[in-house]
Amino acid sequence: MQSRGDFSFLSLYFWLVVLILFLPIILLIIFSFNNSTSLVFPLKGFTLDWYRHLRENTEMLKTVRTSVFLGLGSSLLATILGTMGAIAVVRFDFPGKSAFVAVVALPLVIPYVILGVSLLIMYHSIGIHLSAWAAGLAHVVISMPYAMLIVGARLVGFPQNLEEAAMDLGATYWGALLRVTIPICSPALLAAFLLCFTISFDEFAIASFLVGTQPTLPVYLYSQLRFPTRLPLVVALASILMVVSMIIVLSSDWLRHGGEVRTQRN
Amino acid sequence: MIDFAVELMNVSKIFIAKRRGTLEDISAVKEMNLAIRPGEFFTLLGPSGCGKTTTLRLIAGFEMPSSGEVFIQGKVMNKVPPYRRPVNTVFQNYALFPHMTVAGNVAFGLSIKRVPRVEQEKLVAEALELVQLGEMGENKPYQLSGGQQQRVALARALVNKPAVLLLDEPLGALDLKLRKAMQIELKQIQMQVGITFVYVTHDQEEALTMSDRIAVIHKGMIQQCGDPLTLYEKPVNRFVADFIGESNFIKGHVDQVTDETVLIRVGNETVAIGGGDQSPPLGKEVVAAIRPEKMTLIGSDQNIDRALSGKVEQVIYVGADTRYLITLSTGSTIAVRVQNGGGDGAAGYYNQGDLVKIFWSPEDARLLVD
């Protein structure tokens, strides 16, 4: 058993870490309501102007739309491919399996800047024009390993003979996949989709090389930092994105655990 | 010629396993021949790793034979996938679909066959009634006890009216009392529906309780196939004699062979063994198997031919019987089971250290071929 003294030290430590992690975010949100273009204390007064200006900035909203579509498309593709990869790795044995896993997981460890540069060179040499979709393709590559890990963990967590049972009862392999495997994995699929979406939505390094004339939101935000007067707008938008991102990640986590609890007792 | 429900002809199954980087062949099933009659309760019995589950999976279609042929109802099934075989399986851990209700689980096979919904509901209700779960249709599997889940798995398979029902240690996860009750219930259901059951278990008592016929499997080969009485009374080899029930093995040299009995010398005593149709050469070392409950103990002062002398090493009172462990003059130990009569003195006719003689009727002892 731990003594009370240890406990209070640990909780102090915990809250300190939380403070350090979240202070910048809290500051961001506070300054987004501050009635001044410079981000310094003391605060000048409360205003919703920045959020109002944001609504009128069509250029910025267009990049938000680009990023949302890019995120949806790339995460859909990444989830489908990741699921297929997970099924292959967890349910089947094939020559070169460990090499396959290593190659698929590689984007997890390759620095994005290097990936961005090499994709830029490759796109040039095979004649793909730079665009948001070119960046989207790269996002599929970097988010697929996450999808594969999440769905793979779910596949490991329930017995293979559920699929055998379905086939025993007359379902073909694909029938078993659609009626049994996919429904049981659905919380994990959704979680994977949401995580892939946030990865794509946040990603700056690769996109900055590949978007060409169709900037995604992170690329656009970075470019706006050159104009000091637009800084509060960026801060307001960043606050909104921060809150939305957190909701998405938390709900994906909640979905995944919720799904596990429901089947665990079987 | 009748079609067997299931027939295996020279079926072998070799798995390739990777051990320390090298590939190794493991034969799970070797040259197996098996013929299961329609309507039979047939059990594949053997210790874990003997190949009984692989045999079942070969029939279900989850494994393909490396050589030989699998027939179901007279048709070759080697290349037929599981979903086109007229068999259904009850899995060891039930394998119920956690995202469906009990009724949804039972209706699974019917909905794939596109049976009309009204018909489905009727059949599902009947199947749940058969396994006494009529009220449970709307529950999720995890809300049910182990025994109830077992029944759902049974209903889910039976509702498809398969030609053969395969059961892979279905009672393995249940506690002893429930298991005993389910054994009797399973047997009753089998007789009621008249479907051929192929049952896999490592529990010899379970096999004896339920089966019409049993195949004892060891190291991928059928050791003996027959009805429970034959297996218990006339085991053909040491493995079967040891695996089914309890046996004493007595080693001796052939002394004399007559029409009905073989006399063997054990140490400096001679005992009689039912020879069956065997006539081993004189002087050969042989092994005889005798069940503990078929032996009789008398005091060493009594005069009797063809008995073994020994000393009581241990007396174990087990309720209905008393078990005596007796050391023979040759040094080997023999177990004798004596049924306890009424009265206070039931146990303890003999005490530790008593000198006794053991004898039996020759026909109760069997000469083993190996």
Side-chain angles (χ1 to χ4, degrees):
Chain A
M1 289 296 284
Q2 278 183 335
S3 70
R4 276 212 163 271
D6 279 343
F7 181 74
S8 63
F9 170 74
L10 279 177
S11 63
L12 191 74
Y13 176 72
F14 171 75
W15 287 113
L16 197 69
V17 171
V18 169
L19 190 72
I20 292 168
L21 274 177
F22 286 93
L23 192 62
I25 297 168
I26 295 164
L27 283 180
L28 198 73
I29 293 170
I30 291 172
F31 280 120
S32 75
F33 294 107
N34 186 26
N35 192 6
S36 160
T37 50
S38 54
L39 306 182
V40 286
F41 286 108
L43 300 171
K44 291 272 162 55
F46 180 82
T47 177
L48 288 173
D49 277 356
W50 308 125
Y51 289 94
R52 220 167 282 139
H53 287 315
L54 203 58
R55 242 183 30 203
E56 290 149 15
N57 191 333
T58 51
E59 198 186 1
M60 192 181 270
L61 291 180
K62 200 179 133 205
T63 66
V64 171
R65 210 159 41 235
T66 304
S67 272
V68 168
F69 281 129
L70 206 68
L72 290 177
S74 73
S75 51
L76 188 68
L77 200 56
T79 306
I80 292 170
L81 291 175
T83 303
M84 286 161 66
I87 290 172
V89 167
V90 175
R91 292 292 193 247
F92 294 95
D93 231 352
F94 52 91
K97 181 162 149 178
S98 46
F100 172 76
V101 174
V103 168
V104 172
L106 216 53
L108 294 176
V109 290
I110 294 183
Y112 285 175
V113 180
I114 293 172
L115 204 59
V117 173
S118 43
L119 279 169
L120 183 66
I121 296 168
M122 193 188 84
Y123 283 172
H124 261 303
S125 56
I126 60 175
I128 295 178
H129 290 293
L130 296 184
S131 68
W133 296 112
L137 215 55
H139 287 174
V140 173
V141 174
I142 58 167
S143 51
M144 199 184 77
Y146 293 96
M148 196 169 120
L149 288 175
I150 291 173
V151 178
R154 187 72 194 102
L155 282 174
V156 170
F158 80 91
Q160 182 172 8
N161 69 5
L162 289 183
E163 286 150 30
E164 284 187 346
M167 286 169 74
D168 185 72
L169 292 164
T172 59
Y173 174 76
W174 294 104
L177 215 57
L178 283 176
R179 283 167 179 261
V180 175
T181 314
I182 299 295
I184 291 175
C185 287
S186 58
L189 291 178
L190 193 56
F193 179 81
L194 293 178
L195 188 65
C196 291
F197 180 82
T198 50
I199 289 170
S200 164
F201 198 77
D202 290 345
E203 201 285 321
F204 170 75
I206 297 176
S208 68
F209 285 102
L210 303 178
V211 289
T213 56
Q214 298 172 290
T216 58
L217 185 67
V219 176
Y220 178 79
L221 286 186
Y222 184 73
S223 70
Q224 292 306 292
L225 293 179
R226 279 174 295 168
F227 313 107
T229 50
R230 296 201 193 154
L231 198 54
L233 272 185
V234 172
V235 169
L237 185 62
S239 305
I240 295 175
L241 294 179
M242 198 61 231
V243 172
V244 173
S245 285
M246 267 164 79
I247 289 171
I248 290 176
V249 169
L250 288 177
S251 63
S252 96
D253 210 45
W254 177 81
L255 272 173
R256 215 172 66 220
H257 288 296
E260 269 159 25
V261 169
R262 253 176 282 146
T263 48
Q264 215 165 37
R265 291 179 53 193
N266 183 28
Chain B
M1 194 190 117
I2 58 151
D3 277 342
F4 288 107
V6 177
E7 199 177 359
L8 304 188
M9 282 174 84
N10 294 318
V11 169
S12 296
K13 178 67 191 178
I14 296 165
F15 289 108
I16 297 167
K18 204 187 246 177
R19 260 192 215 154
R20 295 202 190 90
T22 57
L23 295 177
E24 233 175 81
D25 286 356
I26 295 169
S27 340
V29 175
K30 293 173 198 157
E31 298 279 309
M32 191 176 283
N33 287 292
L34 194 66
I36 300 168
R37 299 178 197 124
E40 202 171 25
F41 196 121
F42 192 92
T43 298
L44 302 169
L45 173 68
S48 58
C50 73
K52 57 191 190 299
T53 295
T54 305
T55 308
L56 199 76
R57 289 173 63 83
L58 283 164
I59 301 172
F62 297 126
E63 308 288 353
M64 299 295 150
S66 307
S67 65
E69 280 176 320
V70 177
F71 296 88
I72 297 173
Q73 293 185 305
K75 295 192 190 83
V76 187
M77 286 287 147
N78 282 27
K79 295 218 169 93
V80 179
Y83 47 87
R84 275 199 227 109
R85 296 192 183 200
V87 300
N88 285 117
T89 307
V90 176
F91 290 86
Q92 191 166 11
N93 60 359
Y94 321 136
L96 298 179
F97 306 127
H99 59 299
M100 296 180 188
T101 61
V102 166
N105 266 278
V106 178
F108 191 89
L110 300 174
S111 83
I112 283 181
K113 275 182 240 146
R114 299 187 192 285
V115 173
R117 190 156 290 269
V118 185
E119 179 84 0
Q120 268 187 39
E121 279 169 17
K122 193 176 132 253
L123 291 171
V124 168
E126 276 172 20
L128 286 176
E129 210 57 56
L130 181 71
V131 297
Q132 298 170 27
L133 284 178
E135 312 288 297
M136 297 292 194
E138 291 316 304
N139 287 296
K140 284 289 180 76
Y142 65 80
Q143 295 170 311
L144 272 52
S145 70
Q148 289 171 327
Q149 291 185 20
Q150 181 54 65
R151 288 156 192 269
V152 176
L154 190 65
R156 186 178 68 175
L158 281 175
V159 77
N160 302 294
K161 306 218 163 29
V164 181
L165 185 72
L166 308 172
L167 302 101
D168 186 6
E169 308 223 14
L171 308 182
L174 305 181
D175 63 66
L176 185 68
K177 207 166 173 188
L178 192 56
R179 198 157 71 218
K180 297 262 184 213
M182 279 299 287
Q183 285 171 8
I184 293 168
E185 201 181 316
L186 262 181
K187 179 72 185 167
Q188 276 168 351
I189 288 174
Q190 193 259 339
M191 290 193 286
Q192 200 177 329
V193 297
I195 289 173
T196 313
F197 275 35
V198 181
Y199 192 96
V200 161
T201 182
H202 62 267
D203 182 339
Q204 48 101 10
E205 209 179 313
E206 192 166 289
L208 293 176
T209 307
M210 297 193 284
S211 318
D212 295 320
R213 283 198 306 149
I214 301 169
V216 181
I217 301 178
H218 181 48
K219 293 184 174 165
M221 290 180 284
I222 294 182
Q223 304 294 313
Q224 189 173 2
C225 183
D227 58 89
L229 187 78
T230 309
L231 288 184
Y232 191 82
E233 299 292 342
K234 295 184 171 122
V236 293
N237 61 29
R238 185 168 180 147
F239 180 81
V240 177
D242 203 27
F243 195 74
I244 296 193
E246 194 188 357
S247 285
N248 290 303
F249 298 103
I250 295 170
K251 226 184 251 178
H253 294 273
V254 178
D255 199 37
Q256 193 185 332
V257 180
T258 68
D259 282 352
E260 280 142 23
T261 59
V262 176
L263 297 186
I264 63 171
R265 279 200 80 73
V266 180
N268 50 12
E269 289 162 314
T270 307
V271 288
I273 308 294
D277 45 6
Q278 302 175 55
S279 48
L282 295 184
K284 192 189 179 220
E285 194 184 61
V286 291
V287 174
I290 311 151
R291 301 286 181 194
E293 74 273 14
K294 301 235 161 117
M295 298 171 141
T296 310
L297 286 184
I298 54 169
S300 62
D301 50 334
Q302 309 242 16
N303 209 357
I304 185 162
D305 273 349
R306 290 170 188 170
L308 294 174
S309 321
K311 194 169 115 184
V312 177
E313 204 62 48
Q314 212 179 337
V315 182
I316 305 158
Y317 175 73
V318 281
D321 308 306
T322 302
R323 252 170 79 91
Y324 294 96
L325 292 182
I326 291 158
T327 309
L328 301 180
S329 55
T330 57
S332 54
T333 303
I334 276 185
V336 179
R337 222 178 162 97
V338 179
Q339 203 172 7
N340 292 328
D344 293 337
Y349 287 117
Y350 300 98
N351 296 314
Q352 200 177 347
D354 285 355
L355 294 176
V356 291
K357 283 183 180 171
I358 312 162
F359 70 96
W360 57 85
S361 313
E363 67 270 20
D364 286 336
R366 274 185 66 81
L367 202 61
L368 297 179
V369 285
D370 55 313

